[in-house]
Amino acid sequence: MALRTPPLHDVHADAGAKFTDFGGWEMPVEFDSIRDEHTAVRDDAGIFDVSHMGQIEVSGPDAESLMQRLTTNDVSALSPGDAQYSMIVDEDGVIIDDTVVYHRPDGDYLFVPNAGHDDQMMTRWRTHRDEWGLDVTVENRTTDYGMVAVQGPNAPDLVADAAGDDVLDLSLFEATNATVAGVDCLVSRTGYTGEDGFELVYDNDGADAVWNAFDCQPCGLGARDTLRIEAGFLLSGEDFNHETNPRTPYEAGVGWTVKLGTEFVGRDALERVDEEGVTEKFRGVVLRERGVPRHGYDVTDADGGVIGELTSGTMSPTLNEPIGLGYVSTEYEPGDTVRVVIRGDAKKAELTTPGFLD
């Protein structure tokens, strides 16, 4: 099957980007170097094309009810212009995907599943809508919309110059409508890097104009990954996978997104997990010996007994230390010394709470 391409694909190719297959999309993995792009975001600002993310619009009299019953967070708490991070789980409370839900300023809803999950989520929403007899319109707008993220300490000034000073009044997880280079955009103070910044959604026809409105380092998915690992953020398909690495929000360290006072698919199962506890938790590791932790590496105790497994890892460009994320037995706490097995060698490592930056 042919890979999907974002509306800015030709722009990226002309800039000399290297591409990779990600979630069925051909996306830029780097423009200059992952380290240079990573450093630009930590020290200045960078722009990412994130048009591979899904865009599902939900509108109609029962839109709030449908969103509430299919996500774990409290959608009813959102006023127009608010957004929230949430989980989509099955009847057993296992994460299918994570998402950001927007209560758009015009009153309808938009939620953003991960790359390659858009058709799955549209079908899920429509199936439950019909089953519950709700008056809702659900549309997959992924191929109609583009999306960029401008991230870094200087991102607010860049976005304010392009979209107007009103965006500076946005708090984290708030959104507004604004115009950038003549293009209508939904501008939200959200991102996936651990830095301040904004994400902009717009009709595909305006993709070139929006991208060119920002004079900062173009960044690919390589830097996006190293930045989010340093921030301790989950990656769908890596840090949880519904088929190969099933996890509940409580195991994945995002139990705060679960509002048991609301009714949603999987609620009863998650209430039981909350009461009974979990046997493994999402942790960070910092290697104290040479090596780079990677997905699939075992975490062991001093005697070689396996106590967990890594799901992500990298050499941190910011800290210049090898860091990783994964699931470890709850018998072990942050600060404990463990081992990470790299090509047969057990390397000393320290457990941490995810999020490696001050």
Side-chain angles (χ1 to χ4, degrees), residues 2 210 299:
V210 172
V299 182

Side-chain angles (χ1 to χ4, degrees), residues 3 10 69 76 88 92 95 100 106 121 140 149-150 174 218 235 245 251 263 280 309 323 330 357:
L3 294 178
D10 290 347
R69 294 166 73 174
S76 69
I88 301 164
D92 296 321
I95 301 171
V100 174
D106 58 11
M121 293 306 157
N140 185 353
V150 184
E174 286 187 344
L235 175 60
N245 186 18
E251 292 171 290
E263 291 295 329
E280 290 187 327
E309 183 177 272
I323 60 175
T330 52
L357 305 177

Side-chain angles (χ1 to χ4, degrees), residues 153-211:
N154 290 331
D157 288 341
L158 285 172
V159 177
D161 287 345
D165 288 344
D166 286 351
V167 299
L168 298 177
D169 296 329
L170 295 175
S171 298
L172 187 64
F173 279 83
E174 286 187 344
T176 189
N177 292 324
T179 301
V180 174
V183 179
D184 293 334
C185 299
L186 176 70
V187 180
S188 61
R189 203 159 198 164
T190 52
Y192 190 55
T193 63
E195 296 293 335
D196 196 0
F198 298 81
E199 293 176 311
L200 296 84
V201 179
Y202 46 84
D203 285 337
N204 275 346
D205 290 346
D208 288 19
V210 172
W211 180 264

Side-chain angles (χ1 to χ4, degrees), residues 2-205:
L3 294 178
R4 302 161 82 177
T5 57
L8 288 164
H9 184 275
D10 290 347
V11 173
H12 302 328
D14 290 344
K18 298 176 182 177
F19 291 88
T20 189
D21 175 359
F22 188 85
W25 289 77
E26 187 173 54
M27 297 299 296
V29 66
E30 63 179 312
F31 289 83
D32 296 314
S33 76
I34 291 173
R35 178 173 285 274
D36 287 348
E37 294 163 27
H38 180 112
T39 301
V41 173
R42 288 280 179 250
D43 295 343
D44 185 6
I47 185 170
F48 301 80
D49 181 2
V50 288
S51 300
H52 60 307
M53 302 296 286
Q55 304 281 343
I56 310 295
E57 286 185 343
V58 183
S59 59
D62 296 326
E64 179 185 302
S65 178
L66 184 60
M67 293 300 304
Q68 186 85 303
R69 294 166 73 174
L70 289 175
T71 60
T72 62
N73 213 327
D74 185 5
V75 176
S76 69
L78 297 177
S79 299
D82 288 343
Q84 65 184 193
Y85 181 57
S86 193
M87 300 291 124
I88 301 164
V89 301
D90 66 13
E91 292 78 1
D92 296 321
V94 173
I95 301 171
I96 301 172
D97 203 6
D98 61 350
T99 190
V100 174
V101 176
Y102 297 90
H103 191 169
R104 297 175 71 159
D106 58 11
D108 63 4
Y109 292 88
L110 175 75
F111 74 98
V112 181
N114 283 281
H117 290 204
D118 50 305
D119 283 338
Q120 175 192 10
M121 293 306 157
M122 179 185 67
T123 299
R124 183 175 181 82
W125 256 244
R126 288 180 175 178
T127 298
H128 282 290
R129 172 199 64 187
D130 297 343
E131 177 185 339
W132 295 329
L134 299 177
D135 185 2
V136 185
T137 299
V138 180
E139 295 183 286
N140 185 353
R141 302 298 301 278
T142 303
T143 57
D144 300 322
Y145 289 161
M147 187 177 185
V148 297
V150 184
Q151 302 280 291
N154 290 331
D157 288 341
L158 285 172
V159 177
D161 287 345
D165 288 344
D166 286 351
V167 299
L168 298 177
D169 296 329
L170 295 175
S171 298
L172 187 64
F173 279 83
E174 286 187 344
T176 189
N177 292 324
T179 301
V180 174
V183 179
D184 293 334
C185 299
L186 176 70
V187 180
S188 61
R189 203 159 198 164
T190 52
Y192 190 55
T193 63
E195 296 293 335
D196 196 0
F198 298 81
E199 293 176 311
L200 296 84
V201 179
Y202 46 84
D203 285 337
N204 275 346
D205 290 346

